[in-house]
Amino acid sequence: MSSLQTYVKDKFNQTIKESSDAELYSALLEMVHDKSRELPTNDDKKRKLYYFSAEFLIGKLLSNNLLNLGIYDDVKAELAKYGKDITDIEQVENEPSLGNGGLGRLAACFLDSISTLGLNGDGVGLNYHFGLFRQLFKDKLQFTDKDEWITGEDDWLVRSQTSYTVPFNNFELSADLYDIDVLGYQQDTRNRLRLFDLSTINEGIVGDGINFDKKDVIQNLTLFLYPDDSDHDGQMLRIFQQYFMVSAGAQLVLDEAVERGSNLHDLADYAVVQINDTHPALVIPELIRLLTERGIEFDEAVHIVENTVAFTNHTILSEALEKWAMSDLERIVPHITPIIRELDRRMKEKYPQHPYTNIIDLQDRAHMASMSIHYGFSVNGVAALHTDILKSSELRAFYEIYPEKFNNKTNGITFRRWIMDSNPELAMFLDKQIGKSWRTDSDLSKFLKFKDNKKVQKALQDIKQDNKQRLVDYLEERQGIKVNPNSIFDTQIKRIHEYKRQQMLLLYAIHKYKDIKAGNVPQTPLIIFLGGKAAPAYTTAQNILHAFLTLAEIVDGDKDVNEHLQIVVLENYDVSYAEKLIPATDISEQISLASKEASGTGNMKFMLNGAVTLGTLDGATVEINQLVGDDNSYIFGKHSNDIISLYETNGYNPQDYYQTPEIKELVDFINGEEMVAHGHKDHLDSLYHEIVSKDFFMTMIDIIEYIKVKEDMLEDYEDQSHWTSMVVENIGRAGYFSSDRTIGDYNRDIWHLESK
Ligand code: 26Q
């Protein structure tokens, strides 16, 4: 009897054939759990990485774990023998929404690579019961609901014996540790994602949607990821969450280091703490506090922490650079504020000529990035351009003091999830053409020689078509939307934010609609897929979604147009959706305002899956363009240095662009008669005014060129042989973006962990 059969028999006393998908899922989960727990952790190695992050957007784990254990194909075949389809069973699993977007997904890719490379490294974060939120569309508007993913029985969380006490001003909370095993690809060791949960949590306090009493921290602390922080109570809850995470995490770091043989004086030889953006930055004063509590002198404690903590920056948007009022910190965590003040005093004494790098500013607010740079030993950006901008403008004053701390680590993606799992047909085809070594060394360059090979081209076109069909079926099942698989699939999927310029794609869609109405019918139909959540308090982002949903309805209802153009807005875009959309896509939309997107990682996933990039020279898209060249990517728009000077000189006036007739016509459509007849006038007016009078992210500066380049691209698609040669070029050069490469770089330059 196979092992799955044994589990099914033991658990349900029946055969595979007799079992439902839910029962099979449950049995498989137990089987994988048992197999993973047989693997030793890497804790026999002296030095260990702790990747502290408020977000880990891990996605579903069943198929990924089966793949990493090397038993996916066997399990699939065995299920098939009894008429069961593994993809149906995968649907049973809930996807945890423990992240907003790129930063959280990056953390998940990194954990996969750390385990795959056999490095000793765990993730440390929080176990949010209802994740971020579930997005629902009603009346063409976004609504939010709690996203329940913990089932109690059939999830991946394993309660450990460990709990820590976390002190706050007038009370203490207890942090219970849950572990999720992180398996590496073909690895015989495992690491863990360590998630802390509030012992006194009460799910029952959540009312309608995602409403709950933000002040009731004793019951709410780990209910949601970043609940709305537009109000003061929300911001205070964020401080509670961050401190809860880092205090419990720091206790874990110290206890485990001692277990591995540290005397704490030598902590920096035993542990490295990477902080994922500033959200875990309070770990710096907390570690200092705990070390002094354990008998180490303050000066030495500071020195130890300086050699233990490293910081990654993920954004240059100033509103995302966290600063906390000292008065708020004093009310919530008074035992660390004297430490923050002392850290600030010391740096002011040492660098009096660098006021821009102060930790505490003139309004008595503590800057988390400043603290992390002064008291960490490494600062990295997440793509070459991003790191350059940090050095030359955003963090320039710090770079002058500490040039040796700055380094770039261009982001990456795990090939296990983003091709082997999500695009098995392409993965198998690559095996056939270039052998299987790419699965472990990420080297796809041998594929380049097939650029003009007609048979290879035909095979790639067939694979893309199959992936389109899979997406079409999934869309119908998930959202009840029907689409024509014989279309060009054009996709923008990411959080809704003005700097990412979904509103520019909207203007393109308006252009296309009008153009088709005017009789310019495209040879191949075009489908524009838009997916992303909008922060509940971010009005313009909500309005952009509303405008898309409204335009989608207009286009659908228009007989002259609907055979040639469709706009599909994906509800509750998540990792599972991405896994279906990316392999099916032809055009990868990476259209942020140059200088604003730190890296992007979706851009890499699309490239690996044979989509061609349409983008600005921003983030890692710059590196994609360098790798494939201008002949194999479609680049448009102003460059980052021009944009940075425009901001510096206040040189962008939206009216200058709005008055151009071609632009005016598109923008006016937003709250014109047709849109208002289908949508809500107030939302559409508000979006219109935002663009016409503010346009903070300069939509109109690039729109004309965007439309032109995109039309060229659509025309080029019609020459399928040429198009597919570009696809080969993109796939063949995607190896650089493997997160195994990124993690190798982190380890070589920052972590120095012993490799296998
Ligand atoms: C900050 C303060 C208050 C409330 C929320 C926040 C907050 C929350 C989430 C700030 C930032 C985030 C997430 C940022 C993020 O996802 N950044 C993305 O990181 C990716 C991985 O490096 C990059 O590829 C993207 O370019 C970057 O936008």
Side-chain angles (χ1 to χ4, degrees), residues 52 124-127 164-168 171-177 195-201 217 221-222 237-251 282 286 332-333:
F52 273 53
V124 177
L126 292 178
N127 189 38
Y164 292 111
T165 299
V166 178
F168 289 97
F171 58 93
E172 290 176 337
L173 295 176
S174 175
D176 295 342
L177 178 61
L195 297 177
F196 287 102
D197 200 352
L198 178 67
S199 66
T200 47
I201 194 81
V217 289
L221 196 137
T222 49
L237 175 50
R238 224 175 127 70
I239 299 179
F240 275 105
Q241 287 189 327
Q242 293 186 351
Y243 182 71
F244 182 82
M245 169 173 82
V246 302
S247 176
Q251 295 178 60
L282 292 175
E286 180 63 3
I332 297 171
V333 280

Side-chain angles (χ1 to χ4, degrees), residues 545-563:
L545 273 177
H546 176 64
F548 265 102
L549 287 158
T550 305
L551 184 64
E553 187 176 282
I554 293 173
V555 172
D556 275 349
D558 191 320
K559 288 207 170 48
D560 302 337
V561 179
N562 62 18
E563 276 175 31

Side-chain angles (χ1 to χ4, degrees), residues 215-226:
K215 286 193 164 141
D216 190 0
V217 289
I218 297 174
Q219 301 194 81
N220 74 16
L221 196 137
T222 49
L223 284 176
F224 287 96
L225 165 65
Y226 301 156

Side-chain angles (χ1 to χ4, degrees), residues 172-209:
E172 290 176 337
L173 295 176
S174 175
D176 295 342
L177 178 61
Y178 289 80
D179 290 332
I180 295 179
D181 284 324
V182 181
L183 311 180
Y185 182 61
Q186 297 177 346
Q187 255 296 341
D188 49 14
T189 56
R190 72 186 151 111
N191 290 312
R192 284 165 293 178
L193 171 56
R194 327 294 292 271
L195 297 177
F196 287 102
D197 200 352
L198 178 67
S199 66
T200 47
I201 194 81
N202 180 2
E203 295 187 355
I205 67 169
V206 180
D208 278 358

Side-chain angles (χ1 to χ4, degrees), residues 240 263 392 443 449 540 621:
F240 275 105
N263 60 17
S392 62
D443 183 358
K449 64 171 177 278
T540 303
T621 301

Side-chain angles (χ1 to χ4, degrees), residues 36-229:
S36 358
R37 258 166 291 163
E38 283 166 16
L39 303 174
T41 65
N42 286 297
D43 279 334
D44 56 322
K45 297 169 182 131
K46 173 175 171 181
R47 193 170 163 75
K48 178 165 179 175
L49 160 76
Y50 294 87
Y51 196 85
F52 273 53
S53 177
E55 309 188 9
F56 288 93
L57 196 48
I58 52 181
K60 296 187 182 195
L61 293 179
L62 178 64
S63 56
N64 195 246
N65 284 347
L66 289 170
L67 180 90
N68 282 1
L69 286 169
I71 57 175
Y72 185 88
D73 290 336
D74 295 347
V75 168
K76 182 178 165 173
E78 168 149 34
L79 288 164
K81 247 187 2 206
Y82 300 100
K84 305 286 179 186
D85 186 345
I86 191 158
T87 50
D88 295 335
I89 295 163
E90 286 162 3
Q91 304 294 337
V92 175
E93 182 172 355
N94 293 332
E95 179 182 322
S97 65
L98 305 184
N100 273 289
L103 167 148
R105 183 54 232 174
L106 184 77
C109 284
F110 279 8
L111 294 186
D112 183 283
S113 285
I114 292 164
S115 288
T116 295
L117 297 181
L119 302 174
N120 190 19
D122 286 349
V124 177
L126 292 178
N127 189 38
Y128 310 101
H129 287 227
F130 299 131
L132 181 65
F133 59 80
R134 173 173 292 279
Q135 176 190 57
L136 304 165
F137 297 142
K138 276 183 240 159
D139 190 21
K140 298 183 280 288
L141 296 169
Q142 172 183 282
F143 287 80
T144 52
D145 206 350
K146 57 180 192 260
D147 197 353
E148 294 177 78
W149 66 279
I150 303 173
T151 58
E153 281 225 331
D154 294 329
D155 54 54
W156 299 94
L157 296 165
V158 178
R159 172 76 174 99
S160 79
Q161 300 302 310
T162 307
S163 292
Y164 292 111
T165 299
V166 178
F168 289 97
N169 194 1
N170 297 314
F171 58 93
E172 290 176 337
L173 295 176
S174 175
D176 295 342
L177 178 61
Y178 289 80
D179 290 332
I180 295 179
D181 284 324
V182 181
L183 311 180
Y185 182 61
Q186 297 177 346
Q187 255 296 341
D188 49 14
T189 56
R190 72 186 151 111
N191 290 312
R192 284 165 293 178
L193 171 56
R194 327 294 292 271
L195 297 177
F196 287 102
D197 200 352
L198 178 67
S199 66
T200 47
I201 194 81
N202 180 2
E203 295 187 355
I205 67 169
V206 180
D208 278 358
I210 55 171
N211 289 319
F212 63 98
D213 179 359
K214 287 184 188 153
K215 286 193 164 141
D216 190 0
V217 289
I218 297 174
Q219 301 194 81
N220 74 16
L221 196 137
T222 49
L223 284 176
F224 287 96
L225 165 65
Y226 301 156
D228 208 333
D229 74 337

